[in-house]
Amino acid sequence: MLKPVIEQGCKSELNDSKIWQSAAFFMSTERQNSAQKQICGCVSEHALQDISAKELAMASMSESAKNSLIKQAVINSVKGCAQDALK
C-alpha cells in the first residue's frame, strides 16, 4: 500500500540531495534513471522493515503521520541503498 508513495518520496529525496546531484552530474541520463530506479526500488522494499504495527496504524488514520513515517523510512533506507547501487 505504501510502496509507491515511498518510492516517490525516495525520488524526491534523491533529487534534493546535494550528494546525489554531485554524483548524477557525472552520469548519463540513462545511468541516472537506472541508478534512481534501483535505489528507490531498494528503499521501497526495505523502508518499512523497522516500522512498528502501531506506527503503520497511526499512518493509516492520519495524513501527517503517514507523511512523517514515509519521510523517516526513506531517510533511514536511502543511504544504504544508494551505496549498494553505486558500487
Side-chain angles (χ1 to χ4, degrees):
M1 171 178 96
L2 293 176
K3 275 187 175 187
V5 179
I6 289 173
E7 197 162 326
Q8 186 59 41
C10 171
K11 289 177 183 177
S12 177
E13 196 70 32
L14 273 181
N15 289 330
D16 291 344
S17 166
K18 300 247 186 268
I19 295 169
W20 172 255
Q21 291 170 7
S22 297
F25 183 76
F26 298 103
M27 295 181 206
S28 68
T29 302
E30 184 178 305
R31 175 68 177 124
Q32 287 176 30
N33 291 337
S34 174
Q36 189 176 62
K37 184 176 181 179
Q38 184 179 356
I39 292 166
C40 292
C42 171
V43 168
S44 70
E45 289 294 320
H46 296 96
L48 297 177
Q49 289 179 348
D50 296 327
I51 305 300
S52 70
K54 180 181 176 184
E55 289 172 307
L56 286 174
M58 292 295 292
S60 69
M61 294 186 279
S62 164
E63 189 70 25
S64 64
K66 180 180 91 175
N67 292 338
S68 177
L69 179 72
I70 289 168
K71 184 168 180 72
Q72 191 59 46
V74 168
I75 289 169
N76 289 346
S77 301
V78 78
K79 184 178 178 184
C81 290
Q83 287 174 340
D84 289 344
L86 298 175
K87 283 184 180 178

